[in-house]
Amino acid sequence: MRISCLVAIALSTAAIQAAPAVFPLKDVRAGQHGVGRTVFSGTKVEEFQVEILGVLQNIGPRESIILAKLSGGPLAETGVMQGMSGSPVYIDGKLAGAVALGFPLSKEAIAGIRPIEDILRVDPEVKQGNGKQVAEGPRRREFLAGDARLEEIATPVSFSGFTAATLEHFGKQLRGLGLDPRQGVSGGGDPPEKLGNPNTIEPGSMISVQLLSGDMSVGADGTVTCVDGDHIYAFGHRFLDEGATEMPFARSEVLALLPNLSASFKISTAREWMGTITEDRNQAISGLMGRRAGTVPIDIRVGAHAYRMRMIENRVMTPLVMQMAVFSALDETERGIGPSTVSIRGHIDFDGGSVRVDNVYSGDVNTPAVAATGVGSPLSYALQSGFEALKLKNVTLDIAEVNRRDQWQIAEMVAPRQVRAGDDVELILTLSGDNGVETVKKVLYRVPASAAPGTLYFTAADATTTNLVEFQSAAGAPMRSAGQVLALLNELRGNTKTYIRVWRADPAFTVDGRDLPSPPPSLAMMLNRMQPGTNLNWRGSKLAEIEIPAGDYVVTGSKTVQVEVKE
């Protein structure tokens, strides 16, 4: 276990810092007194007083927490603040742990302290990359004691350059990840490109883990617990709980403290890049100073407005942050309520290839949110597929919006009731628009001469409905290569067409992501006995698909008719 964590004790920044011993959990007793270190203003690390109340043994699986009362400085007014997570606590000059948990709405500054032994198990020297990541993201851990609830101190996340409507729309998702979004309480997250001096970081210093920097920024704030050469440990609890990671962090300056009845917090701003967070575990985050983190360039243009940012790559946060950036760019330059039509064109580039972005969205409300989801969903699918070739390289988007609803609704589809094999089926599709306007489209489908007697189904649907059917097929047969993932995403249908799917109710098989409709009974029996990767699919066997363009209008809705094939 690493024990040579450094602490500055009344020494100048140029002096060599001493390495204190660790105060082990087994020696912690109620009534002991110690000191903690954190930043209350600017970048100066100050002390506060700590009175040990006891140890909550086995509060979680193989987990104990030190319970303490904090005092001194502004703590009588603020209580335990968001942003204090990771503040080191010393007993007899030895490092005992880090402030990590608190009681919501508590009248006193009662904190849970994570023992230093647990924190030092998080090794910052790991292979760079995404590592183990969770599909849905973490929630704040909490421990119940009667009506009291001791929970991880929420990580305050500052948003700069975003509209208020963006945080309102995505706030629930962010809080579900254990993050507490703050708008307009930071000075931006775009420090100078040059890495800062590591000597400016000491136990108790404030840092900001930057998820997005540039014209829009997202930074998560916390406190450094321990410094060991170029290694740091911070937060005293998880951030995103993704294991091995690569996230840039900056030294932060505290501008002010905001006492609050529900949760007080520090208002801070990122000043200079310091290094890379490489580990994100239950007990703490850790990283290396002097290492520049890899980030993804993002370029978004909405009319004459251009936004340039750099974003982390993370299976959970990258799609969410991308959606927020698109939503905010639209919300800032265009209206979010009332008829509108949004077109998005561009590309999402990965190491192994690109996904084309080319779609149109239209509606009366929430059009920016729908358009943002249209960008975030394929990005999420690609990142969560798990292929190394799908490491994100950059995202470029060109967005245009008009204040009208360009939309057709599938109102009706008419077809003959009976046909014979080899005949043409005339399909008459009626689309309705605003003010009772209608347009009629006619298409022909020739029934194969070899078609067996029975029912043919014709389903006219919008892109969302049709794409969902394809995704259901893909879900039954796991992707075996990055190329398959990119092919699926590039074959997603656009919203400005009607798609008529011709199908039978017979079962279909999916082989390597492709349909094998209505195979002979002998082949069906053999396929049904094969291992996963080939599966029976009861959604019906697709025989053909017909596209009907609608110009620049978005098509919505779905209609199905059936035609009997006679002998």
Side-chain angles (χ1 to χ4, degrees):
M1 181 177 67
R2 191 184 302 277
I3 60 173
S4 57
C5 295
L6 308 179
V7 59
I9 306 177
L11 298 176
S12 69
T13 57
I16 298 175
Q17 300 179 354
V22 165
F23 196 93
L25 177 65
K26 65 182 179 63
D27 293 338
V28 175
R29 301 285 186 272
Q32 291 173 328
H33 288 79
V35 296
R37 294 169 60 84
T38 198
V39 175
F40 293 126
S41 178
T43 59
K44 180 183 178 182
V45 176
E46 300 181 53
E47 291 188 352
F48 56 88
Q49 303 306 307
V50 178
E51 179 187 352
I52 303 301
L53 302 178
V55 176
L56 301 174
Q57 299 284 356
N58 296 319
I59 194 170
R62 293 180 295 178
E63 182 175 13
S64 297
I65 295 294
I66 303 167
L67 198 63
K69 182 178 180 179
L70 314 183
S71 60
L75 293 176
E77 185 177 359
T78 65
V80 180
M81 290 179 286
Q82 294 179 5
M84 285 187 70
S85 294
S87 298
V89 170
Y90 303 88
I91 301 175
D92 295 337
K94 300 176 182 179
L95 185 56
V99 174
L101 302 99
F103 291 95
L105 304 177
S106 173
K107 294 181 179 181
E108 293 188 278
I110 306 296
I113 296 171
R114 176 92 57 200
I116 189 61
E117 295 101 319
D118 293 345
I119 293 172
L120 295 181
R121 294 192 187 103
V122 181
D123 187 358
E125 293 187 297
V126 297
K127 181 180 178 181
Q128 294 188 47
N130 291 331
K132 179 185 75 66
Q133 296 182 331
V134 292
E136 297 181 356
R139 295 180 180 272
R140 267 188 285 164
R141 300 177 70 201
E142 59 180 34
F143 307 97
L144 301 179
D147 293 332
R149 187 173 77 250
L150 180 64
E151 65 181 24
E152 292 175 355
I153 301 169
T155 304
V157 182
S158 300
F159 289 78
S160 298
F162 288 85
T163 65
T166 305
L167 266 68
E168 182 178 348
H169 183 81
F170 292 96
K172 183 177 180 181
Q173 289 175 264
L174 292 165
R175 283 186 283 271
L177 292 168
L179 310 178
D180 199 355
R182 307 287 184 187
Q183 170 69 16
V185 293
S186 75
D190 193 19
E193 192 65 22
K194 184 180 178 181
L195 288 172
N197 183 353
N199 288 334
T200 60
I201 294 291
E202 60 179 305
S205 291
M206 194 80 177
I207 62 169
S208 179
V209 180
Q210 294 285 297
L211 306 181
L212 182 71
S213 60
D215 293 328
M216 303 178 200
S217 67
V218 182
D221 300 328
T223 301
V224 174
T225 303
C226 183
V227 180
D228 183 5
D230 60 353
H231 301 165
I232 72 159
Y233 301 81
F235 282 29
H237 56 63
R238 73 182 103 189
F239 173 34
L240 299 174
D241 197 24
E242 57 175 309
T245 186
E246 187 174 359
M247 297 183 287
F249 75 90
R251 180 179 62 85
S252 272
E253 177 182 350
V254 176
L255 304 178
L257 306 180
L258 185 62
N260 192 290
L261 292 176
S262 59
S264 300
F265 59 93
K266 299 180 181 182
I267 300 175
S268 64
T269 185
R271 288 304 187 196
E272 57 183 346
W273 296 117
M274 298 305 300
T276 301
I277 297 301
T278 57
E279 276 287 306
D280 180 6
R281 302 289 182 179
N282 276 343
Q283 302 87 353
I285 63 173
S286 66
L288 296 169
M289 291 189 287
R291 176 188 289 183
R292 191 175 297 278
T295 52
V296 180
I298 307 297
D299 290 288
I300 302 175
R301 182 175 294 277
V302 184
H305 301 270
Y307 305 87
R308 292 180 174 85
M309 291 85 70
R310 298 193 70 89
M311 177 173 60
I312 66 163
E313 183 177 2
N314 174 274
R315 297 182 188 184
V316 175
M317 292 305 299
T318 295
L320 179 57
V321 171
M322 189 75 241
Q323 288 184 63
M324 295 181 71
V326 172
F327 182 99
S328 184
L330 278 166
D331 187 59
E332 180 182 1
T333 56
E334 306 291 346
R335 64 182 184 178
I337 299 177
S340 65
T341 298
V342 175
S343 66
I344 302 184
R345 291 175 173 83
H347 48 90
I348 302 172
D349 299 323
F350 302 91
D351 283 348
S354 298
V355 172
R356 182 186 67 258
V357 179
D358 187 358
N359 219 336
V360 181
Y361 307 87
S362 188
D364 290 320
V365 294
N366 287 333
T367 306
V370 176
T373 301
V375 176
S377 294
L379 181 57
S380 177
Y381 186 84
L383 293 179
Q384 294 194 26
S385 66
F387 294 105
E388 290 185 5
L390 294 182
K391 181 176 176 61
L392 187 61
K393 291 175 60 179
N394 61 73
V395 180
T396 301
L397 303 174
D398 197 342
I399 304 175
E401 184 176 24
V402 293
N403 292 327
R404 64 175 183 269
R405 187 179 73 163
D406 293 340
Q407 190 175 89
W408 290 116
Q409 174 78 24
I410 298 174
E412 186 179 28
M413 184 166 62
V414 177
R417 300 185 65 178
Q418 296 180 353
V419 295
R420 294 184 181 277
D423 287 353
D424 288 332
V425 177
E426 184 181 53
L427 300 167
I428 302 174
L429 182 70
T430 302
L431 303 175
S432 63
D434 292 339
N435 299 315
V437 176
E438 291 187 342
T439 184
V440 176
K441 308 282 186 178
K442 295 182 180 180
V443 295
L444 294 176
Y445 170 74
R446 175 159 292 180
V447 179
S450 59
T455 303
L456 278 181
Y457 295 89
F458 295 83
T459 297
D462 55 34
T464 300
T465 303
T466 309
N467 286 330
L468 181 60
V469 173
E470 298 300 318
F471 264 106
Q472 289 173 339
S473 174
M479 294 290 168
R480 296 184 176 181
S481 70
Q484 279 190 343
V485 175
L486 294 174
L488 174 67
L489 296 177
N490 279 312
E491 290 170 3
L492 291 177
R493 295 150 184 83
N495 292 329
T496 56
K497 294 179 181 179
T498 302
Y499 302 89
I500 299 180
R501 182 168 173 265
V502 186
W503 58 285
R504 286 186 180 272
D506 306 320
F509 287 86
T510 301
V511 181
D512 288 336
R514 301 292 180 180
D515 275 349
L516 182 62
S518 305
S522 58
L523 180 57
M525 182 179 298
M526 182 175 65
L527 290 172
N528 203 27
R529 292 175 178 173
M530 293 179 67
Q531 297 299 316
T534 302
N535 73 299
L536 189 62
N537 190 332
W538 291 100
R539 64 178 172 79
S541 173
K542 183 174 76 172
L543 304 179
E545 186 175 294
I546 305 167
E547 295 182 0
I548 304 177
D552 292 328
Y553 279 65
V554 172
V555 176
T556 63
S558 176
K559 295 290 181 183
T560 298
V561 297
Q562 57 189 65
V563 176
E564 197 71 21
V565 179
K566 292 295 186 180
E567 293 185 4

